[in-house]
Amino acid sequence: MSEPWQQDILRRRPALPVSRRTGWSSRSRVLAGHTVVELRGEIDLDADAELRLYLDGMTCRPFVRLVVDLRPVTFIDCVGLSLLVRAHRRVRERAGRLLLVGSDPLLLRTLRITGLDRPLPAHPTLDHALAAGEASPPAVEDVMGATGSEGPSVVSQGYGETPQDPTV
């Protein structure tokens, strides 16, 4: 581990995977070239600070392929969803990939209602997520849309109906 970003991973990961204060816990392992993080318990405002640090440690290296398994999560609120969006953005900024595993109908409905099911679709099993992770990500043209001679196109981020300014 001679690269600076590899040493940074060791410094950033929390020493304890179980939070004694909030009750959430995690377990991570590497499967098929993916880091699989299994979250348990309640992912809410009480877990925000600790889980943010934990996920930041998992998403700080380039080209990370991260699978977040939400099946053991008993509750997730808007704070938990924002943590997933933050992790997704951090992974994309580093040319990586984030996949979700979840089969709870309430979780799936929440992702659908918020529009997060488009950028962060939940796979029903870990095997499905790993198989999706092996597939090539869509080409830039597929994601960005074809730009014609009329000028630049506005790309929706999938998080709402208002187009985002790409310079922000």
Side-chain angles (χ1 to χ4, degrees), residues 43-65:
I43 309 302
D44 57 9
L45 184 60
D46 289 337
D48 181 43
E50 292 173 348
L51 188 53
R52 181 180 309 271
L53 287 174
Y54 181 76
L55 289 175
D56 282 357
M58 291 292 180
T59 59
C60 68
R61 62 188 163 99
F63 310 111
V64 66
R65 295 191 312 181

Side-chain angles (χ1 to χ4, degrees), residues 73-93:
V73 170
T74 56
F75 176 79
I76 188 166
D77 65 4
C78 60
V79 173
L81 294 176
S82 71
L83 289 172
L84 294 176
V85 169
R86 176 183 167 87
H88 174 66
R89 285 183 180 159
R90 288 175 53 86
V91 167
R92 281 185 42 207
E93 289 170 357

Side-chain angles (χ1 to χ4, degrees), residues 140-157:
V140 174
E141 295 81 24
D142 295 340
V143 175
M144 300 298 285
T147 52
S149 59
E150 303 86 35
S153 63
V154 177
V155 178
S156 173
Q157 299 295 319

Side-chain angles (χ1 to χ4, degrees), residues 89-104:
R89 285 183 180 159
R90 288 175 53 86
V91 167
R92 281 185 42 207
E93 289 170 357
R94 291 160 178 80
R97 200 153 187 202
L98 183 132
L99 302 161
L100 296 181
V101 178
S103 55
D104 180 62

